[in-house]
Amino acid sequence: MLKLKSVDLKKVKISTLAVPVCEDKDIHGGVLSKLTQQAINIEEFHGKKDEELTLYNPSGTLTERVQFIGLGECANLDPEKLRAFSGKAVKAAIKKGLKDIVIGTPSSDRLSMTEADLVSALMEGACLGNHVFDKYKKDKKLKPLKQITLMVSPDSVKKFAKLPKRVEAICKGTLLARDWVSTPSNDKTPSQLSKIFINMAKKENLKTTLLNPKQLQQGKFGALMAVAAGSSNTPRLVVLEYAPKGAKQTVALIGKGVTFDAGGINLKPTGGIEDMKIDMSGAATVAATLITAAKLKPKVRIVGVMPLVENMISGSATRPGDIIKSHAGKTIEIGNTDAEGRLILADAMSYAKEKYKPDVMVDVATLTGACVVALGEKIAGLFTQDDALAEAILASGQKTHERTWRLPLPEDYKELLKSDFADTNNMSSTRWGGAITAALFLSGFAGDTRWAHIDIAGPAYQKKGSAYCDAGGTGFGVRLFCDLMDRLG
Ligand code: BES
Ligand code: ZN
Ligand code: ZN
């Protein structure tokens, strides 16, 4: 679907060409530069941010339509603006019912960006924008494009020959996670979701393990079972494993998989409950990362652990005040049944540690509303005591624009999780700093394993569509993790 090609616009007939334009500098060479000039000569188009202009059959080419999109000032151009450009161009083409698009790549020597970054960003935006989630609509008008071609020099076609396949694999992983997150909870109960993950993973020859409710009970996953107690949809735990020969490091990725978070007996109110199908986003990110890793083949061994439960309210639900025993043996007083994510993660983390002995463990979870209050809807919270791991995750976030921001894990705040009756409480004694106390709770189950926690409650989902992502699940974390695996290898 993604291709790099050298195209002679004077000789080859093209249906749609998308061209990015800066307002203060010509960023193209050759025919693209001449085309840009034709556009700029038209009064209403200057290349200002978000300005658009379509020319039909412009002179000097055999191109049916050229879609110019303004990027604003050249000095402000970065890979994310290029992703947004190509995402927008693809979305516009889908709306018009077109089947393919050619993207005019600027010359990197006119930009302060490496050609690799430039080409990757354009391909990513286009591929991520080429997605329609219409499974539940009768009317399936919008069809993703069949072909996306980046117009580059013959030299670059050779230099970046392996890039399209890699970018496509990563973006397809992201789209997979988006679809899973957008799927309603009635179609992704823990049992259904475990099958979806395992079937997909088997196709990629990953090793898969499924723990059923009986095995979870026998394995003493007391915290996970306590969350699952209120639902007739029984829990599962899925492990996907990618184990290349000669791997020197094992990374465990743990993903929160609450297929619906009603809050339990501490029932969520209207306004807070409607979007809670997204509470398995962490698990979606981990499963999609493993499936993508099978294609990208990084050097590290990756173990993805996904506890899947539904947090419901019923006569069999766990009560506030109940005391349960976690897989690690630590007793937990349930201060609030809506703080369920940390409970299933605690059991998944101690299981991952005991069974797979990872060198590094990273969990990803839609864990707290407090993190969204702190960092908004586009930036994830990052918690770790390990500076090197923090650096690597921050760098991957920067590179992929799946941004994380490091927050502290202050030792003295651990007091807030004390219980009079059990080893710990799952709820802080104060309402303040909820993202931090949640992370501190998890830290109590990481032991001495290098560990980081990423709170994606904000960026896992968006209510309104953006340049290269429609409303719904965003697949946040898949691109970040794919980049991170190379840094840890
Ligand atoms: N799944 C929620 C967190 C969440 C909130 C995700 C908003 C996505 C968007 C989590 O299980 C939860 O309910 N957390 C509580 C914790 C509190 C009870 C300590 C919260 O954030 O209010
Ligand atoms: Zn909750
Ligand atoms: Zn939750």
Side-chain angles (χ1 to χ4, degrees):
M1 188 256 288
L2 262 184
K3 233 190 203 164
L4 286 177
K5 214 170 151 187
S6 148
V7 184
D8 186 345
L9 294 175
K10 289 183 207 135
K11 293 195 183 136
V12 182
K13 200 167 173 272
I14 279 171
S15 119
T16 310
L17 173 68
V19 180
V21 180
C22 281
E23 62 180 295
D24 54 348
K25 187 175 170 181
D26 184 0
I27 55 174
H28 296 283
V31 192
L32 289 179
S33 173
K34 286 194 188 115
L35 277 171
T36 305
Q37 203 49 53
Q38 283 187 49
I40 297 277
N41 286 344
I42 292 173
E43 199 56 48
E44 63 262 37
F45 187 77
H46 312 90
K48 291 212 168 83
K49 191 174 170 293
D50 297 333
E51 270 182 1
E52 287 188 26
L53 175 82
T54 306
L55 289 185
Y56 293 91
N57 302 304
S59 60
T61 71
L62 297 177
T63 309
E64 241 173 81
R65 62 180 76 64
V66 185
Q67 186 195 358
F68 298 92
I69 300 181
L71 298 180
E73 287 176 25
C74 182
N76 296 335
L77 211 55
D78 59 16
E80 182 58 10
K81 294 214 171 70
L82 292 167
R83 281 184 204 105
F85 153 75
S86 54
K88 255 196 227 169
V90 166
K91 287 217 170 293
I94 292 176
K95 265 206 188 127
K96 288 182 190 155
L98 302 170
K99 296 209 163 44
D100 48 57
I101 196 168
V102 176
I103 291 170
T105 308
S107 2
S108 62
D109 51 10
R110 291 169 195 240
L111 302 173
S112 51
M113 216 181 291
T114 65
E115 198 184 358
D117 284 350
L118 168 70
V119 170
S120 301
L122 286 173
M123 288 199 289
E124 277 166 19
C127 202
L128 292 169
N130 195 28
H131 177 239
V132 180
F133 182 74
D134 57 5
K135 191 173 167 198
Y136 294 90
K137 294 211 189 231
K138 184 171 165 218
D139 185 356
K140 298 183 200 295
K141 268 195 306 233
L142 302 175
K143 293 263 176 290
L145 305 183
K146 294 216 158 63
Q147 186 71 50
I148 296 168
T149 308
L150 242 69
M151 193 178 137
V152 292
S153 71
D155 269 359
S156 304
V157 174
K158 271 193 217 140
K159 213 178 346 170
F160 300 116
K162 289 192 178 143
L163 207 50
K165 206 169 153 203
R166 182 183 161 84
V167 171
E168 197 170 323
I170 295 171
C171 293
K172 279 197 173 150
T174 302
L175 300 182
L176 206 52
R178 282 186 190 173
D179 283 354
W180 289 335
V181 172
S182 297
T183 296
S185 298
N186 54 324
D187 275 346
K188 58 176 180 195
T189 63
S191 134
Q192 286 170 318
L193 194 58
S194 70
K195 284 188 191 125
I196 294 172
F197 288 166
I198 286 175
N199 288 342
M200 199 83 194
K202 279 193 172 149
K203 280 191 204 151
E204 300 302 330
N205 297 317
L206 292 169
K207 188 172 167 204
T208 66
T209 309
L210 174 67
L211 300 193
N212 61 32
K214 200 170 151 208
Q215 290 164 311
L216 290 168
Q217 196 75 55
Q218 282 168 350
K220 301 192 169 142
F221 288 78
L224 187 152
M225 293 308 285
V227 177
S231 176
S232 51
N233 293 314
T234 53
R236 300 289 186 280
L237 186 131
V238 173
V239 183
L240 305 181
E241 195 181 342
Y242 161 78
K245 277 203 185 96
K248 292 195 183 80
Q249 292 267 312
T250 296
V251 182
L253 299 177
I254 324 284
K256 172 176 173 182
V258 177
T259 62
F260 186 73
D261 182 9
I265 302 277
N266 293 103
L267 189 64
K268 282 186 185 292
T270 297
I273 202 168
E274 295 80 2
D275 294 333
M276 280 306 135
K277 68 173 182 183
I278 67 139
D279 216 19
M280 40 57 77
S281 297
T285 294
V286 171
T289 300
L290 265 293
I291 286 158
T292 310
K295 300 178 190 168
L296 301 179
K297 309 209 183 312
K299 291 197 186 102
V300 283
R301 172 175 175 238
I302 313 171
V303 182
V305 182
M306 289 143 279
L308 307 177
V309 300
E310 194 175 48
N311 188 26
M312 296 293 263
I313 180 167
S314 78
S316 61
T318 297
R319 294 155 285 250
D322 283 2
I323 296 178
I324 52 111
K325 194 172 199 169
S326 65
H327 183 76
K330 219 189 246 195
T331 57
I332 305 169
E333 181 182 355
I334 306 298
N336 191 312
T337 60
D338 199 10
E340 84 298 338
R342 62 196 77 181
L343 297 172
I344 65 167
L345 289 172
D347 274 2
M349 280 165 64
S350 37
Y351 175 71
K353 244 172 28 137
E354 151 198 299
K355 183 101 198 272
Y356 299 96
K357 305 193 170 35
D359 300 285
V360 178
M361 189 152 66
V362 183
D363 78 79
V364 58
T366 45
L367 205 61
T368 65
C371 198
V372 194
V373 173
L375 299 174
E377 291 176 287
K378 292 185 177 178
I379 301 177
L382 167 63
F383 302 84
T384 178
Q385 303 286 22
D386 187 310
D387 290 343
L389 187 54
E391 282 308 314
I393 293 171
L394 286 166
S396 291
Q398 212 54 43
K399 173 112 190 266
T400 56
H401 203 71
E402 292 191 329
R403 292 166 291 176
T404 63
W405 190 260
R406 193 173 178 185
L407 292 168
L409 285 168
E411 193 71 26
D412 54 332
Y413 282 26
K414 282 189 182 160
E415 269 195 24
L416 302 169
L417 291 166
K418 281 207 169 126
S419 158
D420 289 335
F421 311 108
D423 298 333
T424 187
N425 197 301
N426 77 329
M427 176 75 182
S428 167
S429 55
T430 157
R431 58 185 287 226
W432 309 113
I436 295 174
T437 45
L440 281 170
F441 179 90
L442 294 179
S443 74
F445 295 86
D448 50 14
T449 306
R450 293 181 70 195
W451 161 79
H453 158 60
I454 305 178
D455 192 332
I456 57 166
Y461 178 77
Q462 57 186 34
K463 269 215 151 31
K464 267 176 56 191
S466 54
Y468 57 83
C469 185
D470 286 340
T474 60
F476 186 100
V478 177
R479 289 189 301 123
L480 183 149
F481 275 161
C482 288
D483 187 81
L484 183 66
M485 291 310 113
D486 288 338
R487 287 177 203 266
L488 298 178

